[in-house]
Amino acid sequence: MSDANAIEQNLIKQFLLPILHLKKRHPLLPGARTLKGEAGFIGISEDELMEARIRYAVTAKEAALELLKEDLLVDVLGGQPFSDKAKIVVAGDSLTEDAQGWFEILRNVLEIGSEGDFTCVNAAIAGATSLDALRTFERDVITEKPTWVIIALGSIDAMRLHGVPNRNLVSLAEFWENISAMESMAGEVTKNPVIWITPPSVDSDLMKETPLFEGYINESDLHHYREVIAGKTGIVVDPYGQRLGRPVSSWNLGPDGFHQSTAGHMETVRAMFRALAAVKAGS
């Protein structure tokens, strides 16, 4: 294997494997629904892919078990924030699609720590802007007939491309229109309010150094996208984007400056439970 191929393989294994689920991107391709097909597309063996996914599942479960030792989660779960037979569907980008990320940790928290039967559907797709999510919202979210909808978008919308640094990928006005459309669509299938997850903080300098990205994200831009979300009705999780620290703690981020570490994903779950506790206290 050449040095260039070795670098690519390392990038795939370090950054991309947790967020590569081909059946989401290519649902009509038969090979995208098999482990063999996915592994062949990625360029690794079936055993490597299976072992990685088992490892991610273990990481998410262990993180959930740690969180379930905390009074906040135990108290909120005791109040049954989601009813029995609830189906929770999330739309988001790679921060949510991550196989060892916050939504998978949440899935384990609910399955282990709460009475009742829950279905969690991770409809997030890496690299998705709000426009991308809107385009597939009917197929990936609405047809699931969710009782709860979580929308965790804005990070990629706020990105500035290296070749076009004077604008964000999706303007604030377009972002507002896109998430408002999704909110209206969700309201057609469930009476429960949308749960909004604001974009977490990033390390722009690290992002600029990582060949994985075609651009970077500024904290000053994220602030404005969070403001748009904070103005929505529903349950807003971490409206000021403080859950990973201010300034952002390196402990909560991965080496690319964008994706969260397990500790960072746990902070997102904590922030969600703080928001649910606040709703309960105000009801």
Side-chain angles (χ1 to χ4, degrees), residues 5 7 18 53 63-64 96 120 125 149 152 174 182 230 237 250 269 279 282:
N5 287 338
I7 292 172
R53 289 186 173 169
T96 301
C120 295
I125 297 179
V149 173
E174 291 174 308
M182 285 183 269
V237 176
S250 59
V269 177
V279 170

Side-chain angles (χ1 to χ4, degrees), residues 166-238:
N166 60 337
R167 55 158 291 181
N168 301 110
L169 202 55
V170 176
S171 71
L172 285 170
E174 291 174 308
F175 178 64
W176 184 89
E177 290 177 355
N178 293 336
I179 63 173
S180 295
M182 285 183 269
E183 181 182 31
S184 296
M185 294 169 72
E188 295 296 320
V189 293
T190 177
K191 295 181 180 179
N192 289 317
V194 171
I195 298 176
W196 305 93
I197 311 289
T198 60
S201 298
V202 301
D203 187 321
S204 301
D205 292 333
L206 278 179
M207 285 191 71
K208 291 175 183 178
E209 296 172 4
T210 304
L212 180 67
F213 301 112
E214 296 157 331
Y216 57 93
I217 301 170
N218 291 323
E219 179 62 33
S220 57
D221 289 327
L222 286 176
H223 169 75
H224 297 300
Y225 287 83
R226 292 188 194 111
E227 283 188 322
V228 172
I229 295 171
K232 302 300 293 179
T233 57
I235 301 171
V236 180
V237 176
D238 191 23

Side-chain angles (χ1 to χ4, degrees), residues 16-27 31-34 38 41-42 49 52-53 56 93-94 96-101 104 107 122-126 139:
L16 298 182
L17 270 189
I19 59 174
L20 274 178
H21 301 91
L22 296 184
K23 64 183 179 181
K24 293 184 180 183
R25 292 161 182 76
H26 308 290
R33 294 185 172 274
T34 67
E38 284 193 284
F41 180 88
I42 296 168
L49 182 55
R53 289 186 173 169
Y56 303 149
D93 50 38
S94 61
T96 301
E97 185 179 8
D98 193 332
Q100 53 193 342
E104 300 308 316
R107 182 201 305 274
N122 192 335
I125 297 179
R139 182 194 75 191

